[in-house]
């Protein structure tokens, strides 16, 4: 039997390749783009344009402890420390402050889609000014209803068509229908495989540590239109199937409790975040990225709708529904909410969501203050106390249940 | 002069007591619709026979109940709007229109909708790609959704005729307010920063024809007065809202005349008129939004128009400097600050940045900064 490369390694190399591809393009004198994570990646991919992802870069820099340094550079440029940490890191990098933690070529054009937040609009405008480069803007207004109306679809479609024209000009190539369809098919296949991977969290005990999803997400963000991503996620799903069969898991500890981790993790503090969870046997079996990145569509109108369904662009009810859905499926018995100082749109729904989770799911909910990128907004002591508190209440609930 | 003072006192009374205004309208049998910031097409409310009532937080307010919905790191204007919904201040309203254009307003709309279920709620999405045909169409579609709800609440149909009439009344009011802003800059010895603010603020609590009538009278009286040389300095203000009497008093005490502004609550709200007497007044309203620019909240397709616009404003109004009021936790304003700063520096215009929020009670720092700024300007 030939040695199989573990899916984890394959996934990591896909992300590396995305950035290598951008460096190579730069070297050949081809334009390189920077894109927000939920810009319709299908267009640039079909036109063969090299693209990097500032959010992914900022997360990587933060995880390697460069977040505070870059944030401080941004502050010295006049950006308030109140602004999203990803934006601060990215604007500092664009302004010329280096980050060996995760270098990427400077942009020649920008792809901005503000479905996740309006901060994106202004962040990308700032970078476009610094480099005097074109900005392709797809605006997805916030939606107050569960359904996405035709008005949204038409409006986004109009911008989508304009974006294609702009990018044809930037790339010097014409959009090839067949290529576009192929890319869309890959994107759907990746989404499906991603959801399949996520669905393994429903097994009890889980065949993997849910925190792994935060790492794999990089692939969904940077390479969802590539066939190899779909293949790697499919391979991962097979491994997980094996794990279920053999009672294996990448969660190396007892699985006493299963929780949802709400929000983006504090990248600078991954170790401290993980520590009390593993010590108390609390596996994360639900993260909202699962449903939020599972884009599937079968025609262009549905594609427009899919891009309307991002975290922070959907109404409260949809947001609650996504989360409660995975909490139920994945048999969660407690919820840990990250009040992420960086992300105003996200954290702004959390108090109401907490109430709904408690009422609808009957599980304890505990929150802590932190930040996805700026380490100054996290207190390990507070976090540990809160996790401890959650653990205790979950134990209590469990004892009560068992006594019944 | 005495007439001017009488009019200013009347504006002052209205600006200071919106609740009374609201109660008065209600006792006249009118319905009022709360209009949260930003860019609410108030003309629709007016055309439906109701009173558009601006709700821009509450200067000097306290956040208490809203803490159940927002962590501490949200701007006070959004939190206080919710607070007023929760504590009953907004009870007299027959509905509210809530735009969702910034990252705080996104969750605000949801929080308000669930926290105040008794107040009929009208959600408003604005497009950022607002200039192209598809953007104008989207705006029109959103305005139509509001229109249907307003008609339900008021029982009055919004027709092309009454909408065209409302547009005319609003254009007249915008014109009067713009004129007043110019006059306030030319006659700072008559119009202090404090009285300038109450005149502009009262517009949010009045039917616009009533406001225009009073304001045109005031403008006429000011115009008829002799211009006197101003011994102090002249500034342009920029930011979201500056209506705190304590803050404005610091301007007055230091003889800093506000000769023009780039405030969301003032000039940004009245910069663009709507085309009158068209067969498609709704489209005209949507086009007006398409023509809005130079705002931290709006996508700028030309990428850097705002600093130049402000520099121009400073030159035209012959101001000596710019006072940038940064609302705490307002990321659109904060993220656009460095570009503005660069633009002002390149043009050699002195500026100062002052942090503020609507709950503020201690103005010591603002006092020190503004005083120092006034001193700097005098040495130039
Ligand atoms: S963390 Fe939140 S505010 Fe920052 S870029 Fe992401 S969605 Fe936007
Ligand atoms: S624009 Fe700024 S002040 Fe206004 S609601 Fe948004 S965050 Fe608050």
């Amino acid at each position: 039997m030939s040695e199989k490369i573990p899916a984890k390694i394959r996934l990591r190399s896909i992300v590396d390749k995305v950035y290598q591809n951008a460096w190579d393009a730069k070297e050949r004198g081809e334009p390189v783009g920077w894109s927000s994570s939920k810009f319709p990646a299908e267009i640039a991919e079909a036109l063969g344009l090299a693209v990097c992802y500032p959010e992914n870069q900022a997360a990587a820099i933060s995880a390697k402890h460069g977040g505070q340094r870059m944030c401080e550079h941004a502050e010295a440029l006049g950006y308030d420390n109140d602004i999203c940490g990803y934006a601060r890191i990215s604007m500092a990098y664009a302004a010329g402050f280096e980050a060996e933690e995760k270098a990427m070529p400077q942009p020649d054009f920008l792809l901005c889609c503000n479905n996740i937040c309006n901060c994106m609009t202004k962040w990308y405008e700032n970078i476009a000014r610094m480099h005097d480069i074109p900005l392709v803007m797809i605006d997805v207004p916030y939606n107050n209803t569960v359904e996405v109306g035709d008005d949204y679809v038409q409006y986004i479609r109009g911008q989508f068509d304009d974006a294609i024209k702009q990018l044809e000009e930037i790339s010097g190539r014409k959009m090839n229908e067949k290529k576009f369809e192929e890319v869309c098919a890959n994107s759907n296949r990746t989404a499906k495989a991603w959801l399949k991977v996520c669905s393994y969290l429903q097994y009890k005990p889980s065949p993997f540590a849910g925190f792994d999803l935060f790492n794999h997400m990089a692939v969904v963000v940077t390479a969802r239109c590539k066939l190899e991503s779909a293949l790697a996620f499919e391979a991962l799903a097979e491994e997980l199937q094996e794990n279920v069969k053999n009672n294996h898991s990448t969660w190396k500890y007892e699985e006493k409790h299963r929780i949802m981790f709400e929000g983006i993790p504090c990248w600078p503090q991954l170790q401290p975040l993980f520590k009390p969870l593993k010590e108390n046997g609390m596996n994360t079996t639900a993260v909202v990225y699962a449903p939020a990145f599972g884009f599937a569509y079968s025609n262009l109108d549905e594609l427009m709708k899919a891009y309307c369904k991002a975290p922070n662009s959907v109404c409260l009810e949809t947001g609650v529904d996504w989360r409660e859905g995975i909490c139920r499926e994945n048999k969660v018995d407690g919820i840990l909410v990250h009040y992420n100082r960086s992300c105003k749109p996200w954290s702004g729904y959390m108090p109401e969501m907490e109430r709904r989770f408690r009422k609808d799911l009957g599980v304890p909910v505990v929150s802590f203050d932190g930040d996805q990128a700026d380490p100054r907004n996290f207190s390990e002591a507070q976090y540990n106390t809160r996790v401890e508190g959650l653990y205790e209440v979950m134990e209590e609930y469990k004892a009560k249940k068992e006594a019944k | 002069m005495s007439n001017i003072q009488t009019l200013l006192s009347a504006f002052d009374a209205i600006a200071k007591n919106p609740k009374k205004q609201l109660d008065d309208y209600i006792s006249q049998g009118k319905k009022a619709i709360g209009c949260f910031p930003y860019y609410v097409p108030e003309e629709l409310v007016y055309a439906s026979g109701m009173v558009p009532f601006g709700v821009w937080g509450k200067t000097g307010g306290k956040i208490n109940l809203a803490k159940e919905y927002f962590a501490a790191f949200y701007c006070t204007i959004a939190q206080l709007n919710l607070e007023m919904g929760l504590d009953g201040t907004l009870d007299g309203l027959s509905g509210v229109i809530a735009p969702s254009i910034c990252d705080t307003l996104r969750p605000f709309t949801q929080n308000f909708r669930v926290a105040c279920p008794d107040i009929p709620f009208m959600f408003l999405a604005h497009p950022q790609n607002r200039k192209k045909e598809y953007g104008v169409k989207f705006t029109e579609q959103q305005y139509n959704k509001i229109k249907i709800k307003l008609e339900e609440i008021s029982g009055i149909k919004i027709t092309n005729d009454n909408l065209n009439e409302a547009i005319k009344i609003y254009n007249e009011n915008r014109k009067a307010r713009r004129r007043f802003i110019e006059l306030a800059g030319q006659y700072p010895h008559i119009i202090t920063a404090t009285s300038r603010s109450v005149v502009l603020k009262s517009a949010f609590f009045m039917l616009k024809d009533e406001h225009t009538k009073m304001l045109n009278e005031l403008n006429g009286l000011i115009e008829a007065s002799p211009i006197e040389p101003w011994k102090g300095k002249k500034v342009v203000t920029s930011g979201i809202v500056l209506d705190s009497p304590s803050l404005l008093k610091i301007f007055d005490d230091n003889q800093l005349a506000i000769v023009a502004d780039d405030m969301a609550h003032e000039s940004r709200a009245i910069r663009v008129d709507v085309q009158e007497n068209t067969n498609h007044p709704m489209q005209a309203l949507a086009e007006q939004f398409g023509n809005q620019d130079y705002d931290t909240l709006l996508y700028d397709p030309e990428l850097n128009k705002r600093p130049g616009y402000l520099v121009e404003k400073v030159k035209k109004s012959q101001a000596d400097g710019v006072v940038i009021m940064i609302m705490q936790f307002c990321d659109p304003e904060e993220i656009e600050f460095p570009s503005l700063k660069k633009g002002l520096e390149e043009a050699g215009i002195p500026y100062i940045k002052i942090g503020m929020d609507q709950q503020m009670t201690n103005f010591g720092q603002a006092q020190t900064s503004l005083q120092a700024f006034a001193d700097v300007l005098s040495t130039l």
Side-chain angles (χ1 to χ4, degrees):
Chain A
M1 215 169 85
S2 66
E3 273 294 312
K4 258 216 223 155
I5 304 170
K8 198 169 104 182
I9 311 272
R10 281 170 71 177
L11 286 164
R12 197 177 305 149
S13 77
I14 290 173
V15 180
D16 291 344
K17 239 173 88 183
V18 167
Y19 287 94
Q20 190 51 50
N21 182 33
W23 285 113
D24 294 347
K26 195 76 168 180
E27 210 163 294
R28 288 192 301 271
E30 289 171 20
V32 171
W34 281 12
S35 172
S36 58
S37 63
K38 290 213 150 196
F39 187 92
E42 288 81 354
I43 308 175
E45 183 71 22
L47 285 167
L49 282 160
V51 174
C52 304
Y53 294 84
E55 288 153 80
N56 173 253
Q57 180 200 31
I61 292 173
S62 308
K64 291 183 183 154
H65 306 292
Q68 181 166 344
R69 183 188 78 249
M70 294 302 276
C71 283
E72 283 170 354
H73 285 316
E75 287 153 31
L77 294 170
Y79 295 105
D80 199 282
N81 66 9
D82 188 38
I83 299 164
C84 164
Y86 279 10
R88 271 180 287 154
I89 291 172
S90 175
M91 291 187 295
Y93 188 78
F97 292 99
E98 283 177 26
E100 274 168 25
E101 295 88 352
K102 177 100 187 168
M104 64 187 200
Q106 293 291 347
D108 303 295
F109 65 94
L110 298 167
L111 305 176
C112 178
C113 181
N114 62 1
N115 43 7
I116 49 174
C117 64
N118 205 46
C119 165
M120 206 52 97
T121 315
K122 290 289 151 185
W123 159 8
Y124 276 57
E125 265 183 51
N126 268 273
I127 294 180
R129 283 174 211 152
M130 288 176 196
H131 289 267
D132 194 15
I133 52 176
L135 167 59
V136 181
M137 173 78 196
I138 294 188
D139 167 49
V140 176
Y142 184 70
N143 195 354
N144 185 46
T145 53
V146 173
E147 286 303 316
V148 178
D150 288 342
D151 48 345
Y152 279 68
V153 171
Q154 288 161 7
Y155 170 53
I156 297 163
R157 181 63 197 274
Q159 301 177 77
F160 193 87
D161 292 344
D162 270 1
I164 292 177
K165 277 184 225 139
Q166 274 173 285
L167 286 171
E168 282 180 336
E169 219 166 273
I170 289 167
S171 66
R173 286 187 277 270
K174 273 271 159 224
M175 180 58 93
N176 174 322
E177 197 106 347
K178 242 182 104 206
K179 178 79 191 157
F180 182 75
E181 276 165 23
E182 187 187 311
V183 163
C184 290
N186 289 342
S187 174
N188 270 290
R189 188 166 165 185
T190 304
K192 218 171 122 204
W194 164 254
L195 286 177
K196 176 109 198 256
V197 164
C198 296
S199 75
Y200 279 95
L201 287 171
Q202 65 185 284
Y203 289 95
K204 218 172 168 177
S206 162
F208 70 112
F211 249 63
D212 293 353
L213 289 180
F214 289 129
N215 296 324
H216 302 331
M217 224 183 72
V219 178
V220 197
V221 167
T222 65
R224 62 179 170 273
C225 300
K226 294 187 197 295
L227 181 61
E228 47 196 313
S229 306
L231 295 175
F233 279 125
E234 284 165 7
L236 179 59
E238 272 171 38
E239 287 179 17
L240 294 173
Q241 181 64 43
E242 282 297 299
N243 280 1
V244 171
K245 224 167 55 198
N246 304 328
N247 218 355
H248 264 328
S249 179
T250 61
W251 175 256
K252 301 281 176 228
Y253 319 91
E254 194 189 348
E255 190 178 277
K256 276 205 229 164
H257 292 287
R258 298 158 64 90
I259 61 162
M260 173 164 82
F261 187 95
E262 169 63 56
I264 307 172
C266 311
W267 296 114
Q269 287 101 358
L270 278 180
Q271 293 305 328
L273 277 193
F274 203 57
K275 194 163 163 270
L277 299 181
K278 71 178 189 207
E279 283 172 359
N280 288 307
M282 293 154 73
N283 190 10
T284 300
T285 60
V287 298
V288 70
Y289 288 116
F293 267 103
F295 290 155
Y297 51 86
S298 53
N299 58 45
L300 271 181
D301 279 2
E302 283 184 20
L303 186 152
M304 305 307 143
K305 283 191 187 176
Y307 280 100
C308 287
K309 298 253 169 185
N312 309 336
S313 73
V314 297
C315 66
L316 178 73
E317 289 73 12
T318 300
V320 168
D321 203 50
W322 279 354
R323 290 157 169 98
E324 292 186 350
I326 51 170
C327 282
R328 288 196 177 101
E329 270 159 38
N330 303 337
K331 302 163 194 80
V332 151
D333 42 24
I335 295 173
L336 186 56
V337 175
H338 174 198
Y339 275 80
N340 181 355
R341 190 62 191 68
S342 265
C343 195
K344 289 203 183 72
W346 195 308
S347 301
Y349 310 101
M350 278 307 135
E352 176 61 16
M353 281 205 194
E354 278 195 37
R355 282 187 285 275
R356 295 192 179 205
F357 296 156
R358 279 193 199 98
K359 184 167 151 274
D360 300 345
L361 301 169
V363 299
V365 184
V366 156
S367 67
F368 70 97
D369 302 315
D371 195 294
Q372 67 199 30
D374 189 335
R376 293 167 291 183
N377 294 325
F378 173 82
S379 145
E380 192 171 346
Q382 187 216 43
Y383 175 74
N384 286 339
T385 315
R386 301 289 166 89
V387 172
E388 201 54 51
L390 179 62
Y391 175 76
E392 278 166 21
V393 185
M394 287 192 300
E395 284 285 293
E396 235 174 75
Y397 278 36
K398 194 175 176 183
K400 266 192 217 154
K401 228 188 195 167
E402 281 165 357
K404 267 188 196 166
Chain B
M1 196 71 170
S2 75
N3 263 339
I4 291 183
Q5 289 318 324
T6 319
L7 277 166
L8 288 177
S9 311
F11 282 119
D12 184 66
I14 293 166
K16 292 228 171 83
N17 199 348
K19 187 79 189 144
K20 180 175 176 301
Q21 276 294 111
L22 183 59
D23 292 343
D24 285 354
Y25 282 126
I26 292 170
S27 67
Q28 290 166 30
K30 291 199 167 78
K31 286 182 174 169
I33 298 293
C35 301
F36 293 134
Y38 302 84
Y39 298 115
V40 169
E42 285 191 19
E43 289 86 341
L44 290 176
V45 181
Y46 189 97
S48 71
M50 299 192 282
V51 184
F53 213 81
V55 186
W56 287 60
K58 183 181 180 183
T59 290
K62 276 269 154 297
I63 295 161
N64 186 16
L65 303 167
K67 287 182 187 155
E68 293 290 316
Y69 291 86
F70 278 117
F73 51 84
Y74 290 83
C75 70
T76 42
I77 195 165
Q79 293 206 63
L80 284 162
N81 277 350
L82 181 59
E83 184 77 23
M84 290 191 287
L86 288 164
D87 72 11
T89 308
L90 303 183
D91 277 356
L93 298 173
S94 298
V96 291
I97 301 176
S100 52
I101 202 159
C102 78
D103 288 342
T104 294
L105 292 178
R106 288 185 189 205
F108 169 82
T109 59
Q110 306 302 288
N111 287 334
F112 195 93
R113 173 162 65 76
V114 301
C116 309
D118 296 332
I119 305 179
F121 181 80
M122 286 163 272
F123 173 83
L124 178 54
H126 280 111
Q128 287 288 12
N129 263 320
R130 60 199 177 279
K131 294 176 184 295
K132 295 233 173 118
E133 207 185 315
Y134 47 71
V136 173
K137 188 164 169 217
F138 184 80
T139 307
E140 205 181 325
Q141 285 164 327
Q142 308 318 304
Y143 286 4
N144 267 315
K145 292 183 197 172
I146 303 272
K147 170 180 179 261
I148 292 168
K149 291 211 180 170
L150 288 171
E151 289 174 337
E152 269 170 32
I153 296 170
S154 72
I156 293 175
K157 281 262 167 253
I158 299 173
T159 62
N160 280 359
D161 284 348
N162 58 25
L163 188 51
N164 270 323
E165 177 61 19
I167 287 170
K168 200 171 134 249
I169 283 165
Y170 267 77
N171 279 348
E172 279 165 4
N173 185 254
R174 280 185 278 262
K175 193 172 150 211
R177 281 197 264 175
R178 289 194 298 261
R179 178 68 186 139
F180 170 74
I181 287 170
E182 260 173 39
L183 290 171
Q186 289 158 12
Y187 295 83
H189 57 286
I190 300 179
I191 304 296
T192 61
T194 309
S195 43
R196 177 186 182 279
S197 164
V198 296
V199 170
L200 294 171
K201 185 177 176 179
S202 60
F204 288 88
F205 314 134
M206 293 175 77
L207 281 170
K208 296 299 176 291
D209 37 350
E210 294 172 4
H211 187 259
T212 308
K213 200 167 153 241
M214 266 171 78
L215 186 51
N216 279 342
E217 195 185 340
L218 176 67
N219 284 346
L221 291 168
I222 304 172
E223 275 166 356
S225 312
I227 291 192
E228 282 176 24
W230 176 243
K231 288 194 259 352
K233 290 288 155 188
K234 296 177 174 180
V235 295
V236 173
T237 50
S238 174
I240 298 291
V241 50
L242 171 56
D243 63 351
S244 149
S246 312
L247 271 174
L248 290 158
K249 185 168 179 298
I250 303 173
F251 280 80
D252 288 331
D253 289 349
N254 289 288
Q255 293 202 305
L256 289 170
I258 300 174
V259 292
D261 78 84
D262 163 48
M263 302 296 297
H265 189 234
E266 298 174 357
S267 286
R268 286 186 206 167
I270 52 168
R271 204 181 60 79
V272 183
D273 285 338
V274 186
Q275 207 191 336
E276 290 181 27
N277 285 322
T278 72
N279 293 326
H280 305 284
M282 197 61 118
Q283 187 184 329
L285 271 180
E287 281 164 355
Q288 177 216 27
F289 179 67
N291 291 331
Q292 300 289 1
D293 274 307
Y294 317 113
D295 189 336
T296 54
L297 277 155
L298 301 176
Y299 165 54
D300 175 4
E302 287 166 51
L303 298 174
N304 208 15
K305 278 206 302 199
R306 179 166 172 258
Y309 167 74
L310 213 71
V311 166
E312 216 22 65
K313 233 182 209 309
V314 171
K315 288 187 179 152
K316 227 179 120 196
S317 62
Q318 298 183 319
D320 304 295
V322 175
V323 179
I324 304 168
M325 306 297 305
I326 294 275
M327 176 73 80
Q328 204 193 358
F329 302 124
C330 173
D331 32 34
E333 287 282 304
E334 289 166 351
I335 202 165
E336 286 299 10
F337 171 72
S339 295
L340 181 57
K341 167 176 173 253
K342 187 164 167 264
L344 294 172
E345 278 167 1
E346 280 169 6
I349 296 169
Y351 67 89
I352 187 169
K353 178 182 164 196
I354 295 188
M356 56 146 336
D357 69 60
Q358 291 194 316
Q359 280 195 111
M360 211 158 148
T361 49
N362 183 344
F363 297 91
Q365 213 179 339
Q367 158 93 41
T368 316
S369 308
L370 280 169
Q371 201 166 2
F373 189 56
D375 290 345
V376 169
L377 294 182
S378 332
T379 60
L380 296 177

